[in-house]
Amino acid sequence: MIKASDFGPDFLWGVAGAAAQVEGAALEYGKGPSIWDTFSAKNGKIKKGNKLAIACDFYHKYVEDIALVKFLGFKVFRFSIAWARILPFGNGGINQEGIRFYHNVIDECLSNGISPYVTLYHWDLPQALENEGGWTSFTINEAFNHFVRICAKEYGDKVKNWIVLNEPFGYTSLGYMLGVHAPGKTGLSNFFPAILHTALAQADGGKILRSEISNANIGTTYSCSEIIPNTQSDNDLLAAKRIDCLMNRLFVEPAQGLGFPTGDWDVLEKFQIEYGTWRLKERMKFDFDFIGLQNYFPLTIKYNAFIPVIQAWEVKAKTRKKPHTAMGWEVNADSFFNIIKQFAAYPNIKNIMITENGAAYHDKLVNDSIVDVERIEYFKLYLAALLRAKHEGINITGYMAWTLMDNFEWAEGFNARFGLVHTDFKTLKRTIKYSGYWWQEFLDN
Ligand code: BGC
C-alpha cells in the first residue's frame, strides 16, 4: 500500500479545475462571452443541451470550495483565469470586477495555506477575439500577450506558480480541426494556423511571465498518451508515429527549440514549408521551469487508408476488452509510466508535474453517499506507476488530481463526472465521494 509520504516531504499534492467548467456567472459581473458560451448555446453541440451559465457556481461558492480543497488535505489548487472576465472583449477595457474576483480566489487560497497554480488559458477564448479569427488569426498573439501582461502585473506579487496553456493539442484539434469543441471549426486550413499561433503564444507567454514576475515558477501543460501500435506491421508502426507527432510532440518540441516534429510526417513537413515555421524556431522556444503532463489514457493505433490525412484509427479499449472508464478511456497505469518516461527523455525538461489525471465513472448518489470504488482503484494504480517513475530518478515534483468536483465536461456537459466531490447540478450541493475521503486519508499518511 503506497503512502503520500513515499513521494517525499516536498512533493506537491493538488487538485485542478478550470474557469469555464466551474465558475458559472457566465455573462455576469462584467464578463464577456467566451467561445464556450456561444458554442454551448448552439443546438446539438453539448450532450443533453447542457449550458455552462451556472455550472458549479464556483463564482459564488469559491470560499466553500477552497475549504473543501483544504479539508481533503491538498496543498495546491490549480485554477484558470477566464480571459473574458478580465477583458470582456478580449482586448480593450479591463473589467475591474473580474480582476477583483481572482484576487479573492487567490487570497482565499493563501489564507488557507494552499498554493495557487494559475492557468492563463484553459480553452475559453473571448468570443470577440474568435470573431476576428481566434487562434487562426495572427492578431491573437498580440491579444494574448496583452492579457498575460495584465495578469502578471496584477497577481504576480502573490502568485508565483503559472501555467501558460492548458493542453494546446486539445483545443486546437478538437476546436479547430474536428469541430467538436468550441469554436467548432474544421479542417487543416484552420488547424495549421491555430497550432502555429498557439506554439508562439506558449513561448511568448512564458517570456512575459519571466520578465514581469520575480521568482516565478513557469510551466505549461500537455495532454499526452502513450501511442501503442496495434501490430508490429510497418503500416501500423508508421500510423502510430504520426499520431505520436500530433498528440505528444506537437507543442513540447517547439518549446524545446526543436521546431515542429516534421521529420516523421510529411503533412507537417508541408505545413512547415507553407507557413515558414522554421524562421520562428527561436521565438517558439522557452525554457520552462516545469512541464505539466496530463494523462488519462493510452491509444492503440492501427493504419487505416480511409481516414483522410492521418490514415490512422484508434482501436478502442472496449473493442479490445480492456478495462475502461465511463468515457471509454482505457485504464492502463503502465502507459502512464511509459509516457512520463517518454517526456523525461527530452534533455531540456528539468521538472515534471502531473497537472491532471483522473477518471469519470457512472457515480450514483445513494443515501447521500457515493461509493466510487473504481475511481479509488484507478488512483491507486496510477499513483503506484507514478512512484515507480519517481524511483527511476525522474524529477517529478507534484501531482494534481482532476478534479475537485463534478463539473461542465465540455462537449459531454454534466454527463461525465470526474470529481472527488459530487455536484448536484440542480441544487449545487457538494457531497464528498468515497474517493475524496480516500484522498484525505492518503494525504494524511
Ligand atoms: C482538460 C480538462 C478536462 C479533462 C477531462 C483535459 O483534457 O484539461 O479540462 O475536463 O481533460 O476530459
Side-chain angles (χ1 to χ4, degrees), residues 65-77:
D65 292 336
I66 292 168
L68 275 171
V69 176
K70 186 178 182 179
F71 180 75
L72 297 181
F74 293 103
K75 293 284 186 288
V76 167
F77 183 43

Side-chain angles (χ1 to χ4, degrees), residues 34-107:
S34 81
I35 52 174
W36 274 96
D37 296 314
T38 311
F39 190 72
S40 67
K42 291 184 185 152
N43 281 341
K45 298 293 181 192
I46 312 290
K47 223 182 227 177
K48 299 194 182 156
N50 294 153
K51 310 264 182 295
L52 34 59
I54 299 175
C56 304
D57 201 24
F58 176 81
Y59 192 89
H60 296 108
K61 291 180 174 291
Y62 68 92
V63 172
E64 184 186 328
D65 292 336
I66 292 168
L68 275 171
V69 176
K70 186 178 182 179
F71 180 75
L72 297 181
F74 293 103
K75 293 284 186 288
V76 167
F77 183 43
R78 175 183 169 216
F79 60 90
S80 72
I81 295 183
W83 187 342
R85 202 177 283 294
I86 302 292
L87 292 158
F89 304 104
N91 259 313
I94 297 179
N95 173 32
Q96 290 305 330
E97 280 193 81
I99 294 277
R100 213 172 315 127
F101 172 66
Y102 295 107
H103 270 300
N104 293 344
V105 174
I106 293 163
D107 293 346

Side-chain angles (χ1 to χ4, degrees), residues 132-144 193 196-197 200 283:
E132 294 167 18
W135 286 102
T136 68
S137 162
F138 73 93
T139 58
I140 196 71
N141 288 107
E142 211 182 301
F144 183 66
L196 173 58
H197 300 133
L200 293 171
R283 190 173 147 200

Side-chain angles (χ1 to χ4, degrees), residues 18 21 122-123 166-167 294 296 327 329 356 402 407 409-410 418:
Q21 295 181 271
H122 202 129
W123 304 2
N166 181 70
E167 296 192 356
Q294 317 203 144
Y296 290 90
M327 300 288 281
W329 296 348
E356 281 184 31
W402 184 268
N407 58 36
E409 175 52 33
W410 309 114
F418 281 82

Side-chain angles (χ1 to χ4, degrees), residues 223-281:
S223 46
C224 54
S225 286
E226 187 194 4
I227 306 299
I228 305 166
N230 190 45
T231 68
Q232 291 302 307
S233 73
D234 282 355
N235 273 344
D236 281 358
L237 288 170
L238 289 172
K241 253 194 178 164
R242 292 193 290 277
I243 295 285
D244 190 45
C245 282
L246 273 177
M247 293 202 50
N248 296 317
R249 301 173 52 195
L250 196 60
F251 292 100
V252 70
E253 295 197 0
Q256 301 281 302
L258 302 170
F260 287 102
T262 51
D264 283 320
W265 189 24
D266 58 348
V267 170
L268 284 180
E269 180 71 44
K270 279 190 211 127
F271 154 69
Q272 142 142 301
I273 293 166
E274 201 179 315
Y275 288 79
T277 62
W278 71 89
R279 285 185 277 112
L280 298 162
K281 230 173 161 177

